Amino acid sequence: MEPRIRVSAILRWEGRILLLRHEKGDRDVWLLPGGGVRVGESLISALQRELWEETGLFPAGLDVPLDGPVAIVESISPPGDAYRKHVVHVIFAADVTGSLEGVVSQDDAVRGHRAFLLRELEAITIHPPIHRFLQRWQPGDPATYLGEMWVP
C-alpha cells in the first residue's frame, strides 16, 4: 500500500465553508473540494485542476489565491481492514467572492455542494473528520499537523 496524496481547499464564502457531498453506502459524507495528485504534478497545479473540475469556480489557467498549506492530516485504515488505505491530505485555503450559483461539478462522484456555517459542521459527516479544525482555523494561523484521523 503506497500512500496517496490528496490536496484540498477550505473555500471561505461569506462566513461559510463550501463542502462537496459524496454518497458512501446509504449515507452522505462531505469533503473539502480537492482530489488526488498525479505523478509529475505539483500540489498547487493538482489543486487548481481539482477545484475547477469539482466546483467550476476557478477556470483553468487562472491563479487561485491560496493560503497555505494550512494543515496536513492522514487517513490510515486499520491494519485488519480488507481495503487498506493511506491518504495524506494537504489542506490549503482560499476566499471565494461573488455568487455560488455557478458551482457545478464535472466529477461524477460529487452529488452536490453546500456552503455551511461553522456552527453547522458538527451535525454532518466530514471526511477526514476535521470539524474542530475547520471551526477554529483563522487566516494567518500557522500550518499544523492534525495527526491520523480515520472514519470508515
Side-chain angles (χ1 to χ4, degrees), residues 21-141:
R21 183 174 62 87
H22 290 243
E23 292 174 2
K24 188 169 186 174
D26 60 348
R27 63 189 171 114
D28 290 340
V29 296
W30 295 88
L31 286 78
L32 291 171
V37 177
R38 297 175 180 160
V39 173
E41 190 174 42
S42 72
L43 297 176
I44 299 297
S45 294
L47 183 56
Q48 289 178 324
R49 174 183 52 76
E50 287 289 346
L51 290 177
W52 172 244
E53 290 173 4
E54 291 194 343
T55 70
L57 288 175
F58 303 101
L62 180 69
D63 284 337
V64 180
L66 294 169
D67 296 329
V70 299
I72 296 173
V73 62
E74 294 183 87
S75 297
I76 304 173
S77 60
D81 201 325
Y83 178 67
R84 294 289 290 152
K85 188 175 186 179
H86 181 174
V87 180
V88 178
H89 303 268
V90 181
I91 303 170
F92 292 81
D95 289 315
V96 176
T97 58
S99 170
L100 294 182
E101 287 184 19
V103 173
V104 62
S105 180
Q106 302 169 35
D107 186 335
D108 292 337
V110 175
R111 300 288 185 233
H113 67 278
R114 181 173 162 207
F116 288 89
L117 291 169
L118 296 178
R119 68 176 181 267
E120 297 175 308
L121 297 178
E122 285 298 327
I124 62 172
T125 302
I126 301 175
H127 283 208
I130 57 171
H131 305 73
R132 184 171 294 155
F133 173 76
L134 292 175
Q135 290 169 325
R136 295 179 178 177
W137 181 81
Q138 294 291 318
D141 283 354

